[in-house]
Amino acid sequence: AQSVSQHNHHVILSEAASLELGCNYSYGGTVNLFWYVQYPGQHLQLLLKYFSGDPLVKGIKGFEAEFIKSKFSFNLRKPSVQWSDTAEYFCAVNARTGRRALTFGSGTRLQVQP
Amino acid sequence: GAGVSQSPRYKVAKRGQDVALRCDPISGHVSLFWYQQALGQGPEFLTYFQNEAQLDKSGLPSDRFFAERPEGSVSTLKIQRTQQEDSAVYLCASSLSREGTGELFFGEGSRLTVL
């Protein structure tokens, strides 16, 4: 079975600070990796995804994530956060074959102070 | 429609009541997923449809939970004899991808409170 761990439950940053949110997954096979974001009062939306190729993927709004296979990690980064990045961030994984359902982490609530 | 639509947005039920939650996916989307999100947790998978076929229902927590998508578009999640532990936000998501590997588009969810 797949599992996803997000160790930072609540992160508070000032505007212009750099962000890194940790994500580790557990699964024996090949996976697809995702970061979803949920802004206050809105639905979940895709931030970025990794299927194959360059392990450094770039998403919307200046976010990027790096897949490190040896560490089973897919950490999310942004060099300089803005107040509008205040949201909850979810890492998710699904298997390349077999069960297609996404397994989500428990989420990280990011609060950016102006 | 423009996005995934779910109704009702909020539902309060007395313990023991049956509830039905509706999901209207994006037109033409083949894959449809239901997730349950408890307070402070990430979404947890309930069930998956490819068109009208329910290909995976391994996440349904008990036989009180039932989902259908009879014509391959609108889906209904039914919970019979609701219990307090059923209180959660129920999310529906759809995808154009037949294999469920493409981007998932989520609805805003139906928040169920069981008293």
Side-chain angles (χ1 to χ4, degrees), chain B residues 13-63:
Chain B
K14 292 182 180 178
R15 191 171 55 183
Q17 274 187 324
D18 297 349
V19 300
L21 308 176
R22 177 188 168 103
C23 172
D24 262 293
I26 294 173
S27 179
H29 277 199
V30 170
S31 297
L32 185 145
F33 297 80
W34 282 99
Y35 284 84
Q36 179 190 59
Q37 186 174 18
L39 191 63
Q41 300 296 317
E44 292 200 1
F45 169 76
L46 293 176
T47 187
Y48 161 58
F49 290 86
Q50 187 180 103
N51 295 308
E52 69 280 2
Q54 189 175 21
L55 298 187
D56 188 346
K57 54 182 180 178
S58 62
L60 295 176
S62 78
D63 58 7

Side-chain angles (χ1 to χ4, degrees), chain A residues 1-2 6 12 20 30 35 40 48-49 55 60 62 65 68-69 73 83 85 92 99 101 103-104 106-107 112:
Chain A
Q2 304 152 17
Q6 292 182 246
I12 302 174
E20 181 160 3
T30 307
W35 276 96
L48 49 78
K49 61 186 178 185
I60 60 172
I68 303 179
K69 189 175 180 180
S73 70
W83 178 78
D85 293 325
R99 189 184 188 192
T103 298
F104 285 86
S106 57
V112 180

Side-chain angles (χ1 to χ4, degrees), chain A residues 43-44, chain B residues 1-10 20-29 31-34 68-69 73-77 89-95 104-111:
Chain A
H43 57 274
L44 276 164
Chain B
V4 178
S5 177
Q6 292 188 245
S7 61
R9 289 290 313 282
Y10 302 93
L21 308 176
R22 177 188 168 103
C23 172
D24 262 293
I26 294 173
S27 179
H29 277 199
S31 297
L32 185 145
F33 297 80
W34 282 99
E68 60 183 5
R69 193 186 185 198
S73 55
V74 171
S75 178
T76 303
L77 176 67
V89 176
Y90 290 85
L91 298 171
C92 177
S94 69
S95 172
L104 284 186
F105 293 84
F106 283 84
E108 293 185 338
S110 291
R111 182 179 296 277

